Amino acid sequence: MQKDTVFMKSGEGEIREVEATPEVLTPLMAAGWHQHHPEKSPVAPAEEGK
Amino acid sequence: MANINELMTCFSFGKQADISTAQTVGSMWRLTNLNRKPWAQNPVSEDDAVETGKGHEFAVQLFKSHYAPPEYEIQKYLSAEFAAWAFGFGLGNVVKSGTTPNFIYTITPILGATNPTGLELPYSTYVQQIRPGGSAVLDQLFKGCAVSSVKLALRNSPGRGSAMLTAGLVTTGQYTEPSTITMPASTPVHEMQAGGMTLTINGIDYVTSKNFLTLDWGWSNNFRSGWFPGSGSQDGFQTQGRFEIGDRAHGLSFTARFANGSSELTKLRALTTGTAVIVLTNDTNNNLTITEQKMAFKVAEIGEADGIVTVSVTGSQLYDTTNGLVTIVAKTAFDGICQ
């Protein structure tokens, strides 16, 4: 089963993808990290005629 | 004349983009409230009584001053949805993970140094209505509502009242009237009563030993005043432009039966520290876990309740160098809370 992950960002701007468990998140959040939402990838326009 | 039972309220589960931008109805939910009072707006005026030059000590003129809405409490039976909201908006650092039907909100207090919005917590929008429409008695939308306090009370009584969660709200004074909000349908919630809780404090499982009586958990953000030059105004009355956390206060106290082998006094004398883990459950997808990362006992007082010897303990919450002060994990099927 695939692990649930989230992106976290530190106060210095470092971004890390981590496992979304309290054991992993708590020390990061206590150190000032917060959730980062990466920009969604732009959707490629559909090719005409298809 | 209007009956207070006609009062309808909704508020945003999604956070506002900023303090003065109201959320849209799509990010609002309609929950009931045990607090039967509407939220007062309280415009404040002042006069010129103390000014000399009038020939007497009486006021002759009134001036617009400011909006001073009091702190307003949303009082509810504990539910997974409202817990995620109250702790999320009250503590501020929220990480959402999971997928339908099991969203997980991991919540800790913000650190002002690294919080993207500095000392400010997320803001919500609050709506209250009585007979909205052409002959509304009350139809107001309050912008920039911040959670100033959170209180969890667990009691040794049956029913929904055994677990209560209360959030204290403050607001800027900025409002929209009429709200233009069409009240959404009632939001179903998953309530959690104390009968199903588990609790371990400082190494002691109080539930298995059947010795637990009551617990009170509290959080206060002690907001600084939001008045400042440029904070804003509406109708000529000044409004607040920010709610910044002050020196936050956090407390946990509980009462348990005291028997042979009870270790509260021993642990206080030894200054023993440990975690406190409170778990309340509706089902697998709707539950709440509060972990005090490092708790000692400040006071342990022997007493009596209903003829049984008890010990009432006031906790001393310490900041753990690795895990901080407190972590809250609220699981709910409801998406988008404090997002």
Side-chain angles (χ1 to χ4, degrees), chain A residues 4 6 8 11 20 22 25-27 29-35 37, chain B residues 93 95-98 106 108 111 114 116 293 319 322-324 327 329:
Chain A
D4 190 17
V6 291
M8 298 293 288
L25 291 174
T26 294
M29 295 168 80
W33 292 60
H34 56 270
Q35 188 166 17
H37 299 282
Chain B
N93 194 355
V95 173
K96 190 196 85 169
S97 58
T106 305
T108 64
L111 283 184
T114 58
Q293 301 294 354
Y319 194 94
T322 302
N323 291 322
T327 302
V329 178

mmCIF file of all heavy atoms in Angstrom, chain A residues 4 6 8 11 20 22 25-27 29-35 37, chain B residues 93 95-98 106 108 111 114 116 293 319 322-324 327 329:
data_model
loop_
_atom_site.group_PDB
_atom_site.id
_atom_site.type_symbol
_atom_site.label_atom_id
_atom_site.label_comp_id
_atom_site.label_asym_id
_atom_site.label_seq_id
_atom_site.Cartn_x
_atom_site.Cartn_y
_atom_site.Cartn_z
ATOM 1 N N ASP A 4 0.991 7.598 2.428
ATOM 2 C CA ASP A 4 0.476 8.944 2.240
ATOM 3 C C ASP A 4 1.598 9.924 2.545
ATOM 4 O O ASP A 4 2.229 9.853 3.607
ATOM 5 C CB ASP A 4 -0.709 9.151 3.184
ATOM 6 C CG ASP A 4 -1.460 10.430 2.883
ATOM 7 O OD1 ASP A 4 -1.279 10.979 1.785
ATOM 8 O OD2 ASP A 4 -2.239 10.863 3.751
ATOM 9 N N VAL A 6 3.116 14.158 2.242
ATOM 10 C CA VAL A 6 2.805 15.579 2.056
ATOM 11 C C VAL A 6 4.117 16.329 1.834
ATOM 12 O O VAL A 6 5.195 15.843 2.186
ATOM 13 C CB VAL A 6 2.083 16.180 3.292
ATOM 14 C CG1 VAL A 6 0.687 15.617 3.434
ATOM 15 C CG2 VAL A 6 2.884 15.964 4.559
ATOM 16 N N MET A 8 6.395 19.474 2.824
ATOM 17 C CA MET A 8 6.583 20.393 3.944
ATOM 18 C C MET A 8 7.657 21.409 3.573
ATOM 19 O O MET A 8 8.586 21.102 2.831
ATOM 20 C CB MET A 8 6.986 19.626 5.204
ATOM 21 C CG MET A 8 5.953 18.621 5.696
ATOM 22 S SD MET A 8 4.440 19.370 6.299
ATOM 23 C CE MET A 8 5.004 20.087 7.854
ATOM 24 N N GLY A 11 11.220 27.135 7.452
ATOM 25 C CA GLY A 11 11.294 28.588 7.496
ATOM 26 C C GLY A 11 12.341 29.139 6.561
ATOM 27 O O GLY A 11 12.268 30.293 6.131
ATOM 28 N N ALA A 20 3.162 11.202 5.877
ATOM 29 C CA ALA A 20 2.190 11.989 6.649
ATOM 30 C C ALA A 20 1.750 11.240 7.897
ATOM 31 O O ALA A 20 0.588 10.850 8.033
ATOM 32 C CB ALA A 20 1.000 12.347 5.785
ATOM 33 N N PRO A 22 1.980 11.361 12.312
ATOM 34 C CA PRO A 22 2.296 12.289 13.410
ATOM 35 C C PRO A 22 3.749 12.167 13.867
ATOM 36 O O PRO A 22 4.362 13.170 14.235
ATOM 37 C CB PRO A 22 1.332 11.860 14.519
ATOM 38 C CG PRO A 22 0.215 11.176 13.833
ATOM 39 C CD PRO A 22 0.813 10.514 12.624
ATOM 40 N N LEU A 25 5.652 14.127 11.168
ATOM 41 C CA LEU A 25 5.254 15.531 11.029
ATOM 42 C C LEU A 25 5.525 16.355 12.287
ATOM 43 O O LEU A 25 5.925 17.518 12.202
ATOM 44 C CB LEU A 25 3.762 15.616 10.682
ATOM 45 C CG LEU A 25 3.355 15.112 9.292
ATOM 46 C CD1 LEU A 25 1.838 15.127 9.152
ATOM 47 C CD2 LEU A 25 4.002 15.960 8.202
ATOM 48 N N THR A 26 5.307 15.757 13.454
ATOM 49 C CA THR A 26 5.395 16.541 14.694
ATOM 50 C C THR A 26 6.752 17.223 14.888
ATOM 51 O O THR A 26 6.790 18.438 15.149
ATOM 52 C CB THR A 26 5.038 15.654 15.906
ATOM 53 O OG1 THR A 26 3.660 15.283 15.807
ATOM 54 C CG2 THR A 26 5.252 16.395 17.210
ATOM 55 N N PRO A 27 7.872 16.519 14.756
ATOM 56 C CA PRO A 27 9.159 17.225 14.946
ATOM 57 C C PRO A 27 9.384 18.321 13.909
ATOM 58 O O PRO A 27 9.950 19.371 14.230
ATOM 59 C CB PRO A 27 10.202 16.110 14.790
ATOM 60 C CG PRO A 27 9.459 14.836 14.973
ATOM 61 C CD PRO A 27 8.070 15.087 14.502
ATOM 62 N N MET A 29 6.969 20.097 12.368
ATOM 63 C CA MET A 29 6.076 21.221 12.683
ATOM 64 C C MET A 29 6.556 21.963 13.919
ATOM 65 O O MET A 29 6.461 23.197 14.000
ATOM 66 C CB MET A 29 4.646 20.713 12.869
ATOM 67 C CG MET A 29 4.050 20.132 11.582
ATOM 68 S SD MET A 29 2.511 19.232 11.830
ATOM 69 C CE MET A 29 1.338 20.583 11.922
ATOM 70 N N ALA A 30 7.094 21.226 14.880
ATOM 71 C CA ALA A 30 7.636 21.880 16.082
ATOM 72 C C ALA A 30 8.846 22.740 15.737
ATOM 73 O O ALA A 30 9.158 23.704 16.444
ATOM 74 C CB ALA A 30 8.013 20.831 17.125
ATOM 75 N N ALA A 31 9.527 22.373 14.652
ATOM 76 C CA ALA A 31 10.689 23.149 14.216
ATOM 77 C C ALA A 31 10.297 24.261 13.247
ATOM 78 O O ALA A 31 11.159 24.918 12.672
ATOM 79 C CB ALA A 31 11.705 22.221 13.558
ATOM 80 N N GLY A 32 8.996 24.436 13.048
ATOM 81 C CA GLY A 32 8.534 25.563 12.253
ATOM 82 C C GLY A 32 8.202 25.239 10.811
ATOM 83 O O GLY A 32 7.910 26.138 10.022
ATOM 84 N N TRP A 33 8.249 23.965 10.449
ATOM 85 C CA TRP A 33 7.867 23.607 9.083
ATOM 86 C C TRP A 33 6.344 23.679 8.962
ATOM 87 O O TRP A 33 5.616 23.433 9.923
ATOM 88 C CB TRP A 33 8.328 22.183 8.743
ATOM 89 C CG TRP A 33 9.819 22.019 8.645
ATOM 90 C CD1 TRP A 33 10.732 22.259 9.623
ATOM 91 C CD2 TRP A 33 10.562 21.573 7.504
ATOM 92 N NE1 TRP A 33 11.996 21.981 9.169
ATOM 93 C CE2 TRP A 33 11.919 21.558 7.872
ATOM 94 C CE3 TRP A 33 10.204 21.169 6.215
ATOM 95 C CZ2 TRP A 33 12.927 21.162 6.992
ATOM 96 C CZ3 TRP A 33 11.221 20.769 5.342
ATOM 97 C CH2 TRP A 33 12.563 20.782 5.728
ATOM 98 N N HIS A 34 5.878 24.001 7.749
ATOM 99 C CA HIS A 34 4.439 23.997 7.494
ATOM 100 C C HIS A 34 4.177 23.344 6.147
ATOM 101 O O HIS A 34 5.096 23.152 5.347
ATOM 102 C CB HIS A 34 3.870 25.421 7.536
ATOM 103 C CG HIS A 34 4.546 26.366 6.582
ATOM 104 N ND1 HIS A 34 5.642 27.114 6.928
ATOM 105 C CD2 HIS A 34 4.295 26.659 5.296
ATOM 106 C CE1 HIS A 34 6.037 27.837 5.896
ATOM 107 N NE2 HIS A 34 5.239 27.576 4.879
ATOM 108 N N GLN A 35 2.910 23.019 5.910
ATOM 109 C CA GLN A 35 2.583 22.293 4.680
ATOM 110 C C GLN A 35 2.784 23.182 3.464
ATOM 111 O O GLN A 35 2.442 24.363 3.474
ATOM 112 C CB GLN A 35 1.140 21.770 4.719
ATOM 113 C CG GLN A 35 0.814 20.840 3.552
ATOM 114 C CD GLN A 35 -0.474 20.056 3.776
ATOM 115 O OE1 GLN A 35 -1.284 20.417 4.622
ATOM 116 N NE2 GLN A 35 -0.658 18.983 3.024
ATOM 117 N N HIS A 37 2.021 23.478 -0.645
ATOM 118 C CA HIS A 37 1.162 22.975 -1.723
ATOM 119 C C HIS A 37 1.810 23.335 -3.051
ATOM 120 O O HIS A 37 1.704 24.478 -3.494
ATOM 121 C CB HIS A 37 -0.238 23.587 -1.621
ATOM 122 C CG HIS A 37 -0.931 23.259 -0.337
ATOM 123 N ND1 HIS A 37 -1.525 22.044 -0.099
ATOM 124 C CD2 HIS A 37 -1.096 23.977 0.804
ATOM 125 C CE1 HIS A 37 -2.041 22.032 1.114
ATOM 126 N NE2 HIS A 37 -1.786 23.189 1.687
ATOM 127 N N ASN B 93 -1.041 25.764 12.820
ATOM 128 C CA ASN B 93 -0.189 25.023 11.883
ATOM 129 C C ASN B 93 -0.896 23.706 11.559
ATOM 130 O O ASN B 93 -0.912 22.781 12.365
ATOM 131 C CB ASN B 93 1.192 24.770 12.487
ATOM 132 C CG ASN B 93 2.199 24.306 11.445
ATOM 133 O OD1 ASN B 93 1.861 24.082 10.272
ATOM 134 N ND2 ASN B 93 3.455 24.176 11.853
ATOM 135 N N VAL B 95 -1.568 20.511 8.885
ATOM 136 C CA VAL B 95 -1.146 19.701 7.740
ATOM 137 C C VAL B 95 -2.280 18.731 7.423
ATOM 138 O O VAL B 95 -2.666 17.919 8.263
ATOM 139 C CB VAL B 95 0.150 18.926 8.029
ATOM 140 C CG1 VAL B 95 0.468 17.972 6.872
ATOM 141 C CG2 VAL B 95 1.302 19.893 8.252
ATOM 142 N N LYS B 96 -2.805 18.844 6.208
ATOM 143 C CA LYS B 96 -3.883 17.931 5.792
ATOM 144 C C LYS B 96 -3.315 16.820 4.929
ATOM 145 O O LYS B 96 -2.548 17.084 4.003
ATOM 146 C CB LYS B 96 -4.954 18.690 5.000
ATOM 147 C CG LYS B 96 -6.217 17.867 4.742
ATOM 148 C CD LYS B 96 -7.088 18.451 3.658
ATOM 149 C CE LYS B 96 -6.621 18.004 2.284
ATOM 150 N NZ LYS B 96 -7.574 18.317 1.204
ATOM 151 N N SER B 97 -3.689 15.607 5.262
ATOM 152 C CA SER B 97 -3.276 14.464 4.447
ATOM 153 C C SER B 97 -4.480 13.532 4.326
ATOM 154 O O SER B 97 -5.560 13.807 4.843
ATOM 155 C CB SER B 97 -2.081 13.747 5.082
ATOM 156 O OG SER B 97 -2.403 13.323 6.399
ATOM 157 N N GLY B 98 -4.263 12.413 3.653
ATOM 158 C CA GLY B 98 -5.336 11.433 3.499
ATOM 159 C C GLY B 98 -6.270 11.762 2.347
ATOM 160 O O GLY B 98 -6.129 12.781 1.666
ATOM 161 N N THR B 106 -3.287 17.112 10.973
ATOM 162 C CA THR B 106 -2.285 17.127 12.030
ATOM 163 C C THR B 106 -2.018 18.586 12.389
ATOM 164 O O THR B 106 -1.696 19.398 11.510
ATOM 165 C CB THR B 106 -0.996 16.432 11.570
ATOM 166 O OG1 THR B 106 -1.325 15.109 11.123
ATOM 167 C CG2 THR B 106 0.011 16.346 12.704
ATOM 168 N N THR B 108 -0.469 21.621 15.090
ATOM 169 C CA THR B 108 0.394 22.072 16.189
ATOM 170 C C THR B 108 0.288 23.595 16.293
ATOM 171 O O THR B 108 -0.180 24.252 15.357
ATOM 172 C CB THR B 108 1.869 21.684 15.957
ATOM 173 O OG1 THR B 108 2.335 22.361 14.794
ATOM 174 C CG2 THR B 108 2.042 20.178 15.787
ATOM 175 N N LEU B 111 4.633 28.693 14.997
ATOM 176 C CA LEU B 111 5.812 29.401 15.470
ATOM 177 C C LEU B 111 5.847 30.728 14.728
ATOM 178 O O LEU B 111 5.888 30.748 13.489
ATOM 179 C CB LEU B 111 7.084 28.610 15.156
ATOM 180 C CG LEU B 111 7.420 27.416 16.035
ATOM 181 C CD1 LEU B 111 8.769 26.843 15.624
ATOM 182 C CD2 LEU B 111 7.453 27.803 17.500
ATOM 183 N N THR B 114 8.399 31.357 11.805
ATOM 184 C CA THR B 114 8.354 30.670 10.509
ATOM 185 C C THR B 114 6.954 30.587 9.921
ATOM 186 O O THR B 114 6.798 30.159 8.783
ATOM 187 C CB THR B 114 8.906 29.236 10.645
ATOM 188 O OG1 THR B 114 8.128 28.551 11.638
ATOM 189 C CG2 THR B 114 10.366 29.244 11.041
ATOM 190 N N PRO B 116 3.857 31.353 7.868
ATOM 191 C CA PRO B 116 3.732 32.204 6.671
ATOM 192 C C PRO B 116 2.983 33.504 6.911
ATOM 193 O O PRO B 116 3.206 34.482 6.204
ATOM 194 C CB PRO B 116 2.964 31.303 5.688
ATOM 195 C CG PRO B 116 3.242 29.917 6.134
ATOM 196 C CD PRO B 116 3.377 29.978 7.622
ATOM 197 N N GLN B 293 3.131 16.563 24.708
ATOM 198 C CA GLN B 293 4.431 15.942 24.458
ATOM 199 C C GLN B 293 5.275 15.753 25.718
ATOM 200 O O GLN B 293 6.093 14.843 25.789
ATOM 201 C CB GLN B 293 5.206 16.759 23.421
ATOM 202 C CG GLN B 293 4.496 16.889 22.081
ATOM 203 C CD GLN B 293 4.353 15.574 21.334
ATOM 204 O OE1 GLN B 293 4.876 14.545 21.749
ATOM 205 N NE2 GLN B 293 3.633 15.585 20.224
ATOM 206 N N TYR B 319 7.602 22.277 27.030
ATOM 207 C CA TYR B 319 7.904 22.286 25.599
ATOM 208 C C TYR B 319 9.044 21.312 25.352
ATOM 209 O O TYR B 319 10.167 21.528 25.802
ATOM 210 C CB TYR B 319 8.271 23.704 25.154
ATOM 211 C CG TYR B 319 8.264 23.889 23.661
ATOM 212 C CD1 TYR B 319 7.136 24.359 23.008
ATOM 213 C CD2 TYR B 319 9.388 23.580 22.890
ATOM 214 C CE1 TYR B 319 7.110 24.518 21.634
ATOM 215 C CE2 TYR B 319 9.373 23.740 21.523
ATOM 216 C CZ TYR B 319 8.237 24.213 20.893
ATOM 217 O OH TYR B 319 8.220 24.361 19.532
ATOM 218 N N THR B 322 12.203 18.319 20.925
ATOM 219 C CA THR B 322 12.008 17.674 19.619
ATOM 220 C C THR B 322 10.572 17.791 19.122
ATOM 221 O O THR B 322 10.322 18.155 17.969
ATOM 222 C CB THR B 322 12.381 16.176 19.703
ATOM 223 O OG1 THR B 322 13.736 16.078 20.133
ATOM 224 C CG2 THR B 322 12.206 15.505 18.349
ATOM 225 N N ASN B 323 9.620 17.496 19.981
ATOM 226 C CA ASN B 323 8.225 17.382 19.544
ATOM 227 C C ASN B 323 7.347 18.570 19.915
ATOM 228 O O ASN B 323 6.138 18.558 19.652
ATOM 229 C CB ASN B 323 7.617 16.102 20.115
ATOM 230 C CG ASN B 323 8.217 14.865 19.476
ATOM 231 O OD1 ASN B 323 8.495 14.847 18.278
ATOM 232 N ND2 ASN B 323 8.462 13.836 20.279
ATOM 233 N N GLY B 324 7.923 19.582 20.523
ATOM 234 C CA GLY B 324 7.150 20.777 20.837
ATOM 235 C C GLY B 324 6.203 20.577 22.011
ATOM 236 O O GLY B 324 6.456 19.763 22.907
ATOM 237 N N THR B 327 0.485 18.024 20.053
ATOM 238 C CA THR B 327 0.100 17.639 18.683
ATOM 239 C C THR B 327 -1.324 17.117 18.714
ATOM 240 O O THR B 327 -1.678 16.303 19.572
ATOM 241 C CB THR B 327 1.026 16.539 18.138
ATOM 242 O OG1 THR B 327 2.372 17.010 18.159
ATOM 243 C CG2 THR B 327 0.638 16.175 16.697
ATOM 244 N N VAL B 329 -4.289 15.350 16.318
ATOM 245 C CA VAL B 329 -4.618 14.680 15.058
ATOM 246 C C VAL B 329 -6.127 14.471 15.030
ATOM 247 O O VAL B 329 -6.682 13.736 15.851
ATOM 248 C CB VAL B 329 -3.882 13.335 14.928
ATOM 249 C CG1 VAL B 329 -4.281 12.648 13.621
ATOM 250 C CG2 VAL B 329 -2.370 13.544 14.977
#
